[in-house]
Amino acid sequence: MNIGINGIGIVSAIGNDAAQVHRSLVERRSGIGSMQYLRSVHKDLPVGEVKLSDNQLKDMLGIPQDTVVCRTVLLGTLAIRQALADASVPVPQDAGRVCLVCGTTVGGMDVTESHYEELMSGDGSLHLMKTHDCGACSEQMAELAGLDGAQVCTVSTACSSALNAISLGARMLENGEADYVIAGGSEALSQFHLNGFNTLMILDHERCRPFDATRAGLNLGEGAAFLVMTRSDSARYAYVTGWGNRCDAYHQTATSDDGLGARLCMQDALDMAGLKPSDIPYVNAHATGTPNNDKSESQAIYGVFADAMPLVSGTKSLTGHTTSASGAIEAVLCLMAMKDGLAPAAMGVDTRDEACVPVLAENTDVELRHVLCNSFGFGGNDSAMVLSAEPGPKKVTSVPEQGVRVVAESIVSDVAELSQLREFVPPMESRRMGRLLKAAMLTSMRVLKEGDTECPDAIITATAYGMMETSMKFLDDMCRGGEQLLGPTLFMQSTHNTIGSSVAIRLGCHGYNTTYTQGARSMEWALRDARDLIRTGKARTVLVGCHDEGVDLVNRYRASVGLPPMPEIYSHSILLKAE
């Protein structure tokens, strides 16, 4: 089964469409600079902003100026429309055979934080919460892009979200679940994640220098990119031939010294593509510019490629780190590099760090029949993808299709039950957990114990709103107390994939790990993925959990649109096994 890429759309700090981005890539023009549109007291922090205001984006998209649309949706819609216009394959008439898969984490936070006091005062402004959650953002993108009736799915695994979204889209095509997939990611800058990353002390006050000995951190960026994918023997751009996702299972915001999760996902991608390390001439590294990440990724690259080292570079010194959108943006940059036969250089690499892989200091002409693109996220969610100029080898499936059975199930819907977590987690450790994480940990440990399973092959999480208690506390501290004295703890537990990665870290589980956030359909997507993993022999045991919590602001919004309130706490874990 050949998964071809037949259309691309991109908007980033280095261009508002593919032609502009390509020109900047070839000419090595960075889009990182001073803030123009983001409102923050941290004006000393350089960022990679898209060079368009919200009003300009609305004009380009034909959206009335008084319509409330978050910047994540505006950027994503622009990139999706570009990809659809660029595609050499028309959208099928049967909308149910079309799927939009979007990776995002911030969602509509820019609107929420800008109107926080207004929202908290309860003065009738609750309509501003329309696209706060990630799943609602994806649905609005589909609507504004003219994809009425299409399947919509949102993946939220922090900075690996978009690459995981593309992998999911490719799997859906392989499995015959869709005929036409638009997959990628969108993320807008917000005060929330600028301040969150700043509390971790990993933002550079100069332009970032991935792999350089003087590197001091990353620059945040924003943007969106989407690929149009179909089953095809004559792709316009390239083919998706291999992908891998693993969990480093080490720490929520740091990577292990040996980069185990990164090494495993790269090897999985190569194995799936039927390639040897020597077949890869170029790796687009995750390359954030933080001391820990670049050293860890280097060890992983050395571990995979050994004596067959490819050319390596990172492009975040051009675009900034676009977090959840980065995997899709960098996949598009890889497609451009393949078309040109030009491996793009990293910028700002002047002093070699002997602990890191050597990287390209100049654009280099080279035939790129295959490239490997890395994308790593918080919680050690590590993903890699192989893009190839020709279809991959014909896959012969020797594993018979397996049945799936539920072997254990646990539900917690009462906060009082959380005290029972002490059976599995020491109190000194659990006291640092928010209530939703405690509930998820409790139900997960219960089903693993009942199912006589020490460590599952995969962990899949479903959540409509994510870690709302900790996110709202950080938002409240920032909006009411200012941006200067914030702490990192709440931010570290704010991402949607905090739950799945925390369980993996506790278990030492280095297997497949992903998080779906598509409103009431989140668990449906999670179970669909889990059953597919088992059915195709990629896993024998999968831990699936649906976890959400009610906070006042969200429940007031839900009531205003006729939806039932979210319970104070709800955690439902299931252990699935092959029959």
Side-chain angles (χ1 to χ4, degrees):
M1 187 77 66
N2 300 322
I3 307 303
I5 300 169
N6 291 292
I8 60 172
I10 185 169
V11 55
S12 74
I14 59 172
N16 300 330
D17 57 35
Q20 292 179 14
V21 168
H22 177 255
R23 194 175 310 119
S24 295
L25 184 66
V26 171
E27 297 175 0
R28 299 186 66 201
R29 287 206 305 261
S30 175
I32 295 171
S34 301
M35 294 178 200
Q36 295 183 46
Y37 305 113
L38 180 64
R39 292 178 305 209
S40 172
V41 301
H42 300 298
K43 296 295 183 183
D44 56 324
L45 292 171
V47 292
E49 287 182 308
V50 170
K51 308 304 187 286
L52 292 167
S53 69
D54 287 4
N55 287 341
Q56 288 173 314
L57 285 163
K58 287 180 181 179
D59 283 342
M60 292 175 70
L61 296 167
I63 299 172
Q65 290 294 323
D66 59 353
T67 306
V68 178
V69 187
C70 69
R71 192 167 173 85
T72 294
V73 167
L74 293 171
L75 296 172
T77 301
L78 180 58
I80 292 167
R81 287 192 188 179
Q82 290 174 1
L84 292 171
D86 183 57
S88 58
V89 180
V91 181
Q93 293 297 309
D94 182 357
R97 301 296 297 169
V98 178
C99 186
L100 171 66
V101 190
C102 180
T104 188
T105 300
V106 171
M109 183 61 79
D110 61 318
V111 172
T112 304
E113 67 189 19
S114 295
H115 299 274
Y116 181 76
E117 290 297 341
E118 191 180 337
L119 287 164
M120 295 306 289
S121 67
D123 65 354
S125 303
L126 292 170
H127 66 282
L128 296 168
M129 290 288 291
K130 181 180 179 182
T131 53
H132 173 84
D133 67 283
C134 299
C137 283
S138 299
E139 289 170 358
Q140 191 171 18
M141 288 181 215
E143 177 188 348
L144 292 171
L147 297 172
D148 299 323
Q151 303 177 66
V152 178
C153 180
T154 306
V155 177
S156 193
T157 54
C159 303
S160 57
S161 299
L163 208 64
N164 287 332
I166 297 170
S167 298
L168 173 62
R171 283 160 40 212
M172 291 182 70
L173 290 167
E174 277 199 332
N175 296 337
E177 298 173 88
D179 297 324
Y180 194 98
V181 172
I182 307 97
S186 181
E187 198 93 298
L189 283 166
S190 70
Q191 290 181 15
F192 185 96
H193 80 305
L194 179 80
N195 280 281
F197 276 86
N198 197 40
T199 65
L200 300 176
M201 296 185 289
I202 55 174
L203 295 181
D204 199 338
H205 286 70
E206 301 175 21
R207 191 175 66 197
C208 66
R209 303 168 298 287
F211 295 114
D212 190 77
T214 67
R215 67 189 184 279
L218 59 89
N219 307 137
L220 282 175
E222 63 180 356
F226 285 85
L227 312 179
V228 172
M229 301 188 298
T230 60
R231 292 181 290 275
S232 174
D233 293 324
S234 56
R236 181 177 178 188
Y237 289 98
Y239 298 87
V240 180
T241 55
W243 55 83
N245 169 267
R246 293 295 194 107
C247 189
D248 202 33
Y250 176 73
H251 190 270
Q252 279 296 340
T253 57
T255 52
S256 60
D257 290 341
D258 60 0
L260 178 59
R263 177 169 59 80
L264 291 172
C265 76
M266 284 189 280
Q267 190 61 61
D268 286 349
L270 290 174
D271 291 345
M272 183 179 182
L275 299 175
K276 304 183 297 295
S278 58
D279 293 323
I280 301 292
Y282 170 67
V283 172
N284 184 283
H286 186 56
T288 60
T290 60
N292 173 252
N293 177 89
D294 291 1
K295 183 178 178 181
S296 175
E297 184 173 14
S298 293
Q299 293 306 306
I301 292 172
Y302 279 132
V304 171
F305 292 95
D307 297 328
M309 282 296 292
L311 302 175
V312 178
S313 73
T315 49
K316 289 181 173 67
S317 52
L318 299 173
T319 64
H321 187 2
T322 55
T323 53
S324 289
S326 62
I329 287 174
E330 288 159 27
V332 170
L333 297 183
C334 286
L335 293 173
M336 292 177 177
M338 293 174 72
K339 183 178 179 181
D340 289 347
L342 182 147
M347 294 186 68
V349 183
D350 299 318
T351 308
R352 170 78 195 279
D353 184 345
E354 296 297 331
C356 292
V357 292
V359 295
L360 289 172
E362 299 290 339
N363 289 350
T364 302
D365 293 332
V366 59
E367 184 180 24
L368 298 175
R369 305 301 295 170
H370 308 282
V371 301
L372 181 71
C373 185
N374 286 342
S375 194
F376 308 147
F378 276 0
N381 195 285
D382 295 338
S383 298
M385 178 169 289
V386 176
L387 301 172
S388 300
E390 60 273 330
K394 295 290 184 182
K395 296 183 178 68
V396 179
T397 304
S398 59
V399 179
E401 187 167 304
Q402 301 180 85
V404 183
R405 61 191 175 99
V406 176
V407 296
E409 196 165 357
S410 176
I411 296 175
V412 166
S413 57
D414 186 345
V415 174
E417 285 190 69
L418 300 184
S419 62
Q420 297 175 32
L421 183 60
R422 66 170 64 94
E423 178 185 348
F424 305 101
V425 179
M428 285 297 290
E429 185 177 338
S430 66
R431 67 186 294 182
R432 295 191 294 270
M433 300 178 181
R435 62 185 184 185
L436 184 60
L437 185 53
K438 289 178 181 178
M441 193 69 72
L442 177 58
T443 58
S444 297
M445 295 302 112
R446 280 177 174 174
V447 298
L448 291 170
K449 180 180 180 181
E450 183 182 341
D452 193 27
T453 300
E454 289 188 12
C455 185
D457 297 325
I459 298 172
I460 302 177
T461 303
T463 181
Y465 292 97
M467 303 291 290
M468 285 301 297
E469 181 188 35
T470 51
S471 296
M472 289 300 296
K473 285 180 179 178
F474 188 86
L475 184 62
D476 191 76
D477 287 349
M478 183 186 75
C479 292
R480 292 182 169 172
E483 300 179 65
Q484 299 289 8
L485 299 175
L486 298 167
T489 304
L490 294 174
F491 181 70
M492 288 169 62
Q493 289 192 26
S494 70
T495 57
H496 289 64
N497 70 318
T498 294
I499 298 168
S501 59
S502 294
V503 175
I505 290 167
R506 176 146 201 90
L507 298 174
C509 178
H510 297 289
Y512 175 82
N513 194 305
T514 197
T515 297
Y516 292 95
T517 177
Q518 195 58 54
R521 299 192 64 187
S522 301
M523 189 61 161
E524 177 185 333
W525 281 101
L527 288 169
R528 183 175 175 175
D529 193 358
R531 292 190 175 106
D532 178 64
L533 287 175
I534 294 174
R535 180 182 59 80
T536 57
K538 295 181 177 69
R540 291 195 60 80
T541 58
V542 182
L543 174 64
V544 182
C546 181
H547 316 288
D548 270 300
E549 59 187 337
V551 297
D552 177 66
L553 178 58
V554 170
N555 278 339
R556 284 193 288 115
Y557 167 71
R558 290 175 65 87
S560 74
V561 294
L563 293 172
M566 301 291 291
E568 185 177 12
I569 198 78
Y570 179 80
S571 178
H572 180 191
S573 290
I574 301 172
L575 184 64
L576 301 176
K577 286 190 177 183
E579 290 184 331

